């Protein structure tokens, strides 16, 4: 990767692409029964039907063409090579996830994400896993009571940093619990969710590189190489599903992420995340999907393993990711 980066501005037509495609699809759509729709990775209160299986595969991308919010920062005059070692720019990857209706009110969720990120002067490879069980409390409306569910899950990230920074994999493990409250109003399905997680992070730096970071002049003999820690997180937000009869379903979501870390009082400790998806039912079993995610502070709190006292300054930037893929449904009567 070249040492000098320019600031890119994407063509505004990219922000209009979802609307244009939706209008075209509505005009040419034929009747498709969306049935119980789908839940992909959406935080919603209702489970999928018993013995229904969803399999989804998405391609992930961010580059200078899709950089609507100037996530790829230009190189600043006089900026040290050390600070640039932790800058994130272009990213590509994929994610695969599945949902299975184990019982009438119980859904199993599994997700795998592979990200390859341009990280300073080298690359950073991150693998993410997420397993969860959704237990619906009531899936029928009783008077004005909302739908409720509780999710219990476990997510983990494993990052392979450049060798000059560390030969030790950076890892984190986070058990979490989520309460979701939802209601259906015609073709609108809003869901309010609250989630708590507790992360254990295992990471370290090469001793030589840690000394350079602590004292670039090289006068310090010892430097801390262990960047392991624990941190708690609280997420809350609103996920709205909107159904366009016989054609498509969209997801609009906002979530606020608050982090509780010891020793980082003056550094970014939260994140604002916006998500938008469009799902087009090509048939009752095959759904085309595309969407995007906006991170106000990059992967701050999203991938705990790559945050440390040395990388913290690079996390106060926005990041915009695009994805495109499909979902296949099995077990439809």
């Amino acid at each position: 990767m070249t040492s000098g980066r320019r600031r890119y501005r994407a063509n505004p037509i990219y922000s209009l692409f979802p609307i244009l495609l939706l209008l075209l699809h509505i005009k040419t759509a034929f009747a498709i029964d969306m049935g119980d729709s789908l839940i992909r990775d959406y935080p919603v209160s209702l489970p999928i039907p018993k013995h229904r299986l969803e399999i989804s595969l998405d391609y992930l991308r961010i580059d200078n063409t899709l950089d609507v919010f100037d996530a790829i920062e230009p190189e600043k005059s006089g900026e040290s090579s050390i600070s640039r070692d932790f800058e994130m720019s272009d990213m590509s990857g994929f994610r695969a996830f599945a949902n299975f209706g184990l019982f009438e009110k119980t859904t199993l969720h599994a997700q795998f994400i592979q990200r390859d990120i341009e990280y300073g002067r080298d690359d950073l490879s991150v693998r993410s896993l997420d397993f969860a069980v959704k237990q619906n409390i009531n899936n029928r409306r009783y008077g004005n009571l909302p739908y409720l569910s509780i999710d219990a899950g476990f997510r983990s990230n494993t990052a392979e940093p450049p060798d000059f920074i560390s030969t030790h994999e950076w890892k984190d493990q986070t058990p979490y619990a989520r309460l979701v409250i939802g209601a259906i109003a015609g073709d609108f399905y809003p869901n309010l969710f609250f989630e708590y997680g507790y992360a254990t992070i295992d990471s370290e730096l090469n001793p030589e590189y840690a000394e350079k970071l602590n004292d670039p002049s090289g006068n310090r003999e010892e430097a801390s190489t262990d960047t392991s820690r624990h941190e708690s997180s609280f997420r809350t937000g609103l996920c709205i599903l909107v159904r366009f009869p016989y054609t498509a379903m969209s997801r609009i979501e906002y979530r606020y992420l608050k982090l509780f870390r010891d020793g980082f009082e003056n550094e970014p400790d939260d994140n604002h995340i916006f998500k938008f998806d469009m799902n087009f039912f090509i048939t009752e079993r095959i759904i085309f999907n595309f969407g995007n995610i906006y991170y106000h502070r990059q992967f701050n709190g999203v991938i705990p393993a790559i945050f440390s006292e040395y990388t913290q300054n690079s996390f106060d930037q926005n990041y915009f990711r695009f994805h495109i893929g499909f979902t296949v449904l099995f077990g439809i009567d």
Side-chain angles (χ1 to χ4, degrees), residues 84-296:
R84 291 197 301 271
D85 288 341
F86 299 108
E87 288 183 353
M88 289 183 286
S89 54
D90 290 3
M91 187 271 291
S92 64
F94 72 92
R95 63 176 181 174
F97 45 88
N99 292 290
F100 179 68
L102 183 63
F103 305 117
E104 180 183 357
K105 295 185 178 183
T106 307
T107 296
L108 304 181
H109 173 78
Q111 180 172 198
F112 172 79
I113 305 176
Q114 172 67 45
R115 302 179 182 93
D116 295 304
I117 308 168
E118 289 190 9
Y119 194 65
R121 294 179 281 127
D122 214 314
D123 295 320
L124 177 70
S125 177
V126 182
R127 300 183 302 276
S128 304
L129 293 171
D130 190 340
F131 298 98
V133 178
K134 176 190 296 294
Q135 181 61 50
N136 177 258
I137 298 175
N138 68 302
N139 61 358
R140 290 185 175 87
R141 185 181 294 275
Y142 299 99
N144 295 322
L145 292 178
Y147 303 107
L148 299 175
S149 71
I150 296 177
D151 298 3
F154 178 86
R155 64 173 65 99
S156 66
N157 299 282
T158 301
E160 298 179 3
D163 289 341
F164 72 92
I165 294 178
S166 177
T167 57
H168 177 78
E169 286 185 332
W170 298 344
K171 301 179 181 179
D172 65 67
Q173 298 85 35
T174 305
Y176 65 90
R178 178 193 301 142
L179 172 66
V180 187
I181 306 171
I184 296 178
D187 291 325
F188 292 87
Y189 178 26
N191 294 267
L192 182 65
F193 58 91
F194 306 89
E195 178 185 313
Y196 174 79
Y198 184 78
T200 301
I201 296 97
D202 176 18
S203 62
E204 66 179 37
L205 299 177
N206 281 340
E208 296 83 2
Y209 194 69
E211 289 183 12
K212 183 179 178 181
L213 290 171
N214 277 271
D215 188 357
S217 65
N219 296 325
R220 184 174 296 182
E221 295 183 358
E222 296 183 359
S224 174
T225 63
D226 188 4
T227 54
S228 300
R229 68 183 190 282
H230 299 278
E231 70 180 33
S232 299
S233 63
F234 176 74
R235 292 170 167 85
T236 186
L238 180 66
C239 176
I240 303 175
L241 302 186
V242 183
R243 290 179 56 169
F244 302 90
Y246 308 112
T247 57
M249 183 181 74
S250 67
R251 181 270 296 265
I252 303 170
E253 181 182 326
Y254 164 75
R255 63 176 60 193
Y256 175 70
L257 169 58
K258 177 66 176 179
L259 300 161
F260 301 93
R261 299 172 172 139
D262 293 331
F264 298 93
E265 289 80 5
N266 298 320
E267 303 304 333
D269 62 355
D270 63 0
N271 207 339
H272 301 271
I273 303 171
F274 297 86
K275 301 182 180 183
F276 174 77
D277 277 13
M278 284 301 305
N279 299 281
F280 295 97
F281 283 70
I282 307 304
T283 71
E284 293 182 7
R285 299 176 182 271
I286 301 176
I287 300 97
F288 169 72
N289 171 276
F290 72 88
N292 48 60
I293 300 178
Y294 168 76
Y295 300 98
H296 188 63

Side-chain angles (χ1 to χ4, degrees), residues 30-70:
F30 53 90
I32 296 175
D33 183 4
M34 291 191 292
D36 296 292
S37 297
L38 70 164
I39 63 173
R40 287 173 60 90
D41 62 337
Y42 307 153
V44 294
S45 55
L46 289 179
I48 62 175
K50 183 178 179 180
H51 296 163
R52 170 79 59 83
L53 174 65
E54 291 181 10
I55 301 292
S56 300
L57 181 65
D58 291 343
Y59 172 72
L60 315 177
R61 182 68 185 173
I62 180 172
D63 58 26
N64 51 33
T65 303
L66 300 170
D67 187 21
V68 178
F69 297 99
D70 288 334

Side-chain angles (χ1 to χ4, degrees), residues 6-18 61-73 89-90 274 291-295 317-323:
R6 297 186 295 111
R7 182 181 291 273
Y8 297 91
R9 172 65 65 181
N11 192 315
I13 192 62
Y14 281 103
S15 61
L16 299 177
F17 178 70
R61 182 68 185 173
I62 180 172
D63 58 26
N64 51 33
T65 303
L66 300 170
D67 187 21
V68 178
F69 297 99
D70 288 334
I72 302 175
E73 292 287 335
S89 54
D90 290 3
F274 297 86
N292 48 60
I293 300 178
Y294 168 76
Y295 300 98
Q317 301 171 7
N318 45 39
Y319 211 54
F320 180 82
R321 194 207 74 196
F322 176 80
H323 69 263

